[in-house]
Amino acid sequence: MADVPSDAPQHCPGTSSSQAGKSSACQGCPNQTICASGATQAPDPAIEEIRVKMASVKHKILVLSGKGGVGKSTISTQLAHGLAGDSSTEVALLDVDICGPSIPKMMGVEGEQVHQSGSGWSPVYVEDNLAVMSVGFLLSSPDDAIIWRGPKKNGMIKQFLRDVDWGQLDYLIVDTPPGTSDEHLSVVQYLCGAGVDGAIIVTTPQEVSLQDVRKEIRFCEKVGLPVIGVVENMSGFLCPKCKNMTPIFPPTTGGAEKMCLDMGLSFLERVPLDPRIGKSCDEGRPFLTEVADSPAAAAYRSIVRGVTEYCASRRHQGDADQTAAGQRQDGEP
Amino acid sequence: MDHSGEKGNLSQVQHVVLVLSGKGGVGKSTLTTELALALRHAGKRVGILDVDLCGPSIPRMLGADQQAVHQCDAGWVPVYTDAQKSLALMSIGFLLESPDEAVVWRGPKKTALIGQFVSDVAWGELDFLLVDTPPGTSDEHLAVVENLRKHKVDGAILVTTPQAVSTGDVRREITFCKKIGLRILGIVENMSGFVCPHCSECSNIFSKGGGEELAKLTGSPFLGCVPLDPQLSASIEEGKDFIQAFPESSTFSSINRIAQAVMTSTEAV
């Protein structure tokens, strides 16, 4: 059954919700008895379908933040470009921000269309080895608003993970909206069979941001999602005229570095504010290559290195675990 | 919008204004806080309803994050920021056991709580109730608008930063407002330019002018620009009253102009 059947009432909680058949909105729904019986609570078959689909994807990385506007999409974009800088590495960027899809504009592919074939939806290629998928490609006008409740957003995310023909990938980066809600639960749930390598958490230095980000970290703990590390974005602005550094978003409680110390997380990097970053994103051009000598570009490259090293160590650990398991099977000590 | 004889908790609230943006991190909560303080400064009784359930920022911004919510016969008593009860707040932030506690809810549960926030908070007499929202056009926004249908909503202020990546999302929010019949009181361009405190050089860190262009493009009123101001960021961080601390600043004049525009466009109706 679809997560929100076509004959469901307006506030249908979704057939896979724990409230299925039991919420007040379910009164009078023709599917109420089925939902209340628990039949719809069985594991979603899409999880296995996605596990099979993701077998050709070596590493899956989520980019998260509890807070909006800290630079998740910007960092996802730079990370994607950075990883794809090696032409032998196949990279894809999946944008699951259904209400505010920024990735097409930032990658310079706004207005592109998605095509369907026998093997599924084709993503949009920015480079030969860099593919992008976003709900933005399904909208016909920049004014179109997606006014969807949770269950419908979940359905879209399921399709993105199951029906896009990604092909062989070294890295799939998933850019998320702010918060700890439907989109985040759905991505983690649908990928639980396939496995996620880890999450990069993005924050800005102020406590107003950190207080939301700590919640996101608690979310990661709750769902068993490893945190690769934390990036502190918009970390100070260097005046181009007098060269003084001003902390526009002041780290009044010690910033991300102190938070990482307190929570036992890896502090990946600090990225300064640079007006050229916003400009590149608005124009859909790759900042990392166009302003390669800037301190911000150096910071992005460091983040890329952090991610590749983390994934490589997981591969080696995975190989070592497999070898050990194989030896035990053969009766070796 | 017949609210004659309505004895609900919003019956003595004169004006309801939503603060929206399709985009996250543009300063909705900051602007809601500063507008509330500016309106209070102008002698108005103000309330703030924070319906951002995943990232509730309002308690900390007003120095009220240690407070808890109490019940009365009419429902929940809002948290007051001072003994004079000049500013009333409601946020999920007051209901959490710990500030790090994550609210990991799907849409229907968020919708249910927002319904309660709209009808079960004993606001009393208010001139203005400002509703701070999370980014997007989803469950929270639909819930707030649907639950406020019984009461008159004056309109919405849309907040953007100047860059295209931000105005691109706010365009969609404008479509949302038009679809549900919500009047747009105007657009605010936040983080509009930064003046270096050392040499006064102005840098357009997040570009410039996008908010004003968006207003022209969509036929919406443009309420003004608010610059990036580290003193404002610091006040917000520490839950201090920026308006009291820096009444001479150009940031305050910008915010005050927006507050005046809100009062004019709502009280004239």
Side-chain angles (χ1 to χ4, degrees):
Chain A
M1 194 194 290
D3 199 41
V4 178
S6 54
D7 52 358
Q10 199 187 10
H11 295 292
C12 166
T15 54
S16 50
S17 157
S18 55
Q19 289 302 304
K22 298 174 195 158
S23 101
S24 54
C26 299
Q27 298 297 325
C29 173
N31 307 302
Q32 187 179 18
T33 315
I34 301 173
C35 289
S37 72
T40 52
Q41 302 278 304
D44 191 333
I47 294 174
E48 176 59 20
E49 289 166 353
I50 290 166
R51 188 194 68 76
V52 169
K53 194 75 183 226
M54 290 284 143
S56 60
V57 178
K58 286 200 188 123
H59 299 290
K60 296 155 224 79
I61 293 154
L62 304 192
V63 180
L64 301 173
S65 178
K67 188 86 183 68
V70 296
K72 289 178 291 308
S73 299
T74 303
I75 284 173
S76 299
T77 301
Q78 306 312 319
L79 183 57
H81 276 299
L83 290 167
D86 172 359
S87 57
S88 65
T89 305
E90 295 289 332
V91 183
L93 177 52
L94 170 60
D95 178 8
V96 301
D97 188 341
I98 310 282
C99 297
S102 308
I103 297 293
K105 182 186 270 309
M106 288 186 174
M107 294 296 256
V109 285
E110 202 173 29
E112 294 280 342
Q113 300 281 299
V114 158
H115 303 284
Q116 270 202 310
S117 70
S119 39
W121 289 353
S122 322
V124 171
Y125 281 87
V126 174
E127 310 281 353
D128 287 342
N129 64 334
L130 178 51
V132 176
M133 178 54 75
S134 167
V135 81
F137 299 130
L138 306 177
L139 301 172
S140 45
S141 146
D143 293 314
D144 281 353
I146 298 207
I147 309 170
W148 289 354
R149 291 184 190 274
K152 213 163 165 185
K153 290 195 281 188
N154 301 338
M156 182 92 270
I157 290 169
K158 180 176 8 186
Q159 283 193 275
F160 276 163
L161 291 169
R162 186 190 60 195
D163 299 341
V164 172
D165 182 18
W166 297 110
Q168 299 286 333
L169 286 179
D170 293 287
Y171 296 95
L172 174 65
I173 300 159
V174 183
D175 183 32
T176 62
T180 47
S181 189
D182 289 272
E183 296 88 332
H184 313 84
L185 284 166
S186 293
V187 162
V188 167
Q189 229 165 36
Y190 288 130
L191 285 175
C192 70
V196 176
D197 289 65
I200 292 177
I201 309 277
V202 184
T203 184
T204 47
Q206 341 83 299
E207 178 57 29
V208 154
S209 183
L210 297 174
Q211 77 180 357
D212 287 353
V213 169
R214 285 192 203 94
K215 296 181 205 289
E216 196 75 17
I217 292 166
R218 294 283 172 240
F219 165 80
C220 292
E221 285 167 8
K222 257 188 187 173
V223 300
L225 179 57
V227 173
I228 300 173
V230 178
V231 172
E232 183 181 278
N233 200 20
M234 306 196 200
S235 192
F237 175 64
L238 191 70
C239 177
K241 189 175 177 198
C242 68
K243 308 298 179 198
N244 277 295
M245 176 71 84
T246 306
I248 295 183
F249 304 115
T252 57
T253 56
E257 201 162 11
K258 168 97 182 10
M259 182 187 73
C260 286
L261 216 66
D262 292 342
M263 299 182 91
L265 297 172
S266 169
F267 177 64
L268 275 182
E269 191 53 73
R270 198 173 264 120
V271 185
L273 276 162
D274 185 327
R276 295 170 294 183
I277 299 172
K279 198 160 186 293
S280 298
C281 286
D282 274 0
E283 293 167 11
R285 296 191 334 268
F287 172 84
L288 199 55
T289 43
E290 295 203 349
V291 199
D293 57 349
S294 64
Y300 289 138
R301 282 193 294 273
S302 162
I303 295 166
V304 171
R305 270 195 306 276
V307 167
T308 51
E309 281 164 11
Y310 173 87
C311 291
S313 74
R314 272 179 70 89
R315 267 204 311 276
H316 293 142
Q317 187 58 52
D319 291 344
D321 290 345
Q322 267 192 324
T323 308
Q327 285 175 335
R328 280 194 297 276
Q329 247 186 341
D330 294 342
E332 299 259 1
Chain B
M1 280 161 291
D2 169 35
H3 51 106
S4 58
E6 162 72 61
K7 287 294 176 208
N9 279 316
L10 290 170
S11 60
Q12 294 175 296
V13 174
Q14 297 304 313
H15 301 288
V16 177
V17 174
L18 270 56
V19 181
L20 302 173
S21 178
K23 187 86 183 66
V26 296
K28 290 178 290 307
S29 300
T30 301
L31 200 71
T32 303
T33 298
E34 296 312 312
L35 262 182
L37 292 171
L39 289 167
R40 180 176 72 173
H41 198 70
K44 303 294 179 187
R45 290 157 304 183
V46 189
I48 301 178
L49 172 57
D50 176 8
V51 299
D52 187 343
L53 303 184
C54 297
S57 307
I58 295 292
R60 188 182 173 93
M61 288 186 174
L62 283 155
D65 46 332
Q66 301 299 313
Q67 305 231 33
V69 159
H70 304 286
Q71 294 263 331
C72 68
D73 289 340
W76 285 331
V77 180
V79 168
Y80 292 100
T81 57
D82 57 13
Q84 292 75 37
K85 297 192 175 182
S86 57
L87 184 46
L89 313 176
M90 182 50 69
S91 168
I92 197 177
F94 300 127
L95 305 174
L96 301 174
E97 280 181 15
S98 119
D100 292 354
E101 192 183 323
V103 172
V104 184
W105 292 353
R106 288 195 183 270
K109 210 164 167 182
K110 292 196 279 188
T111 296
L113 183 64
I114 288 170
Q116 284 191 274
F117 272 174
V118 171
S119 40
D120 296 350
V121 175
W123 295 107
E125 283 182 20
L126 289 180
D127 296 299
F128 286 93
L129 177 63
L130 303 179
V131 184
D132 184 28
T133 62
T137 47
S138 191
D139 296 86
E140 295 89 331
H141 312 84
L142 289 166
V144 142
V145 166
E146 275 163 16
N147 281 285
L148 282 172
R149 272 202 204 292
K150 286 200 289 285
H151 188 87
K152 175 171 164 267
V153 178
D154 291 69
I157 295 172
L158 279 100
V159 186
T160 185
T161 52
Q163 326 110 288
V165 157
S166 181
T167 58
D169 284 351
V170 179
R171 279 176 83 162
R172 304 187 201 282
E173 198 76 15
I174 289 171
T175 303
F176 168 79
C177 291
K178 289 180 176 169
K179 271 197 173 161
I180 58 168
L182 184 57
R183 179 180 161 218
I184 294 170
L185 299 177
I187 294 177
V188 173
E189 181 176 301
N190 196 23
M191 305 197 198
S192 188
F194 169 69
V195 176
C196 177
H198 303 277
C199 70
S200 300
E201 168 86 351
C202 183
S203 296
N204 292 324
I205 300 180
F206 300 117
S207 190
K208 183 96 175 145
E212 195 162 9
E213 271 169 40
L214 180 65
K216 276 202 200 92
L217 182 71
T218 56
S220 314
F222 182 61
L223 296 181
C225 296
V226 180
L228 268 166
D229 186 337
Q231 286 173 335
L232 174 58
S233 308
S235 296
I236 285 286
E237 276 283 278
E238 291 154 17
K240 300 230 168 70
D241 185 341
F242 172 79
I243 309 240
Q244 239 175 22
F246 302 102
E248 305 300 314
S249 69
S250 62
T251 306
F252 170 55
S253 328
S254 311
I255 292 167
N256 205 34
R257 267 197 300 277
I258 296 166
Q260 294 297 327
V262 168
M263 285 189 279
T264 308
S265 61
T266 53
E267 287 169 341
V269 174

